[in-house]
Amino acid sequence: MMGAYFSEDRKRRYLLWRDLRGDGPVMSIGMINPSNADEEKNDRTITRIINFAERENCSKVYVWNLCSAITPYVKELKNVIDPVGVDNDAYISAALISSQVHVVAWGPVKKLPLVLHNRRFDVLKLANQINVNFQCWDVAKDG
């Protein structure tokens, strides 16, 4: 099963999920911003995430983002009014609560517009409030 939650105008994607072939845990992966994948089609990033989660024998993967505004280019987030979106944290929380494996993959902070440099700390605080610990297999030079 494939699915996604969007804003009414479909300019924001809050959460995307894919049921997988494995019988293991449910994984959540946090990225920076959604691109073109939706409830019916994958983009290149989502295909890579699915392949990764299947290698880990996961039964499902949730993909959430620091920002809900849909754009294939991180730099465009600086031109979006409220790139995070008022509902985004609720969807992030739901994904984290529904998962057993939690991965962050948002890369170096320097690629984010300056106004979003601290957004990761908001999400880390949110995760801490619901007792979720993230896994990360590599750390960017700027944290």
Side-chain angles (χ1 to χ4, degrees):
M1 187 169 117
M2 301 168 63
Y5 289 120
F6 288 88
S7 60
E8 266 186 51
D9 62 7
R10 294 185 69 90
K11 291 184 179 182
R12 296 178 182 277
R13 189 184 78 208
Y14 297 110
L15 189 62
L16 179 137
W17 65 91
R18 301 293 188 253
D19 288 336
L20 306 173
R21 292 177 276 209
D23 58 2
V26 175
M27 178 183 285
S28 74
I29 297 184
M31 308 289 286
I32 293 178
N33 60 293
S35 187
N36 298 317
D38 62 22
E39 63 274 11
E40 296 178 359
K41 73 176 189 310
N42 297 325
D43 60 19
R44 190 174 64 191
T45 299
I46 297 304
T47 299
R48 288 171 49 202
I49 288 171
I50 290 168
N51 291 337
F52 168 72
E54 285 181 337
R55 279 193 309 271
E56 297 298 313
N57 196 39
C58 292
S59 57
K60 185 174 200 166
V61 64
Y62 289 103
V63 181
W64 53 270
N65 295 279
L66 293 174
C67 301
S68 64
I70 297 171
T71 174
Y73 306 105
V74 173
K75 290 182 180 184
E76 288 181 3
L77 292 171
K78 70 181 176 190
N79 301 320
V80 176
I81 296 170
D82 188 19
V84 173
V86 294
D87 296 326
N88 201 33
D89 284 355
Y91 285 97
I92 292 171
S93 292
L96 296 177
I97 289 168
S98 301
S99 305
Q100 294 78 48
V101 177
H102 312 282
V103 178
V104 293
W106 50 60
V109 174
K110 67 181 178 183
K111 71 180 180 181
L112 285 168
L114 187 58
V115 69
L116 295 170
H117 277 201
N118 289 324
R119 173 64 180 143
R120 63 193 167 138
F121 296 119
D122 298 336
V123 173
L124 292 172
K125 182 178 175 184
L126 175 75
N128 189 50
Q129 291 170 347
I130 56 176
N131 296 315
V132 165
N133 294 309
F134 290 118
Q135 295 180 21
C136 185
W137 289 284
D138 199 5
V139 178
K141 289 180 183 174
D142 62 356

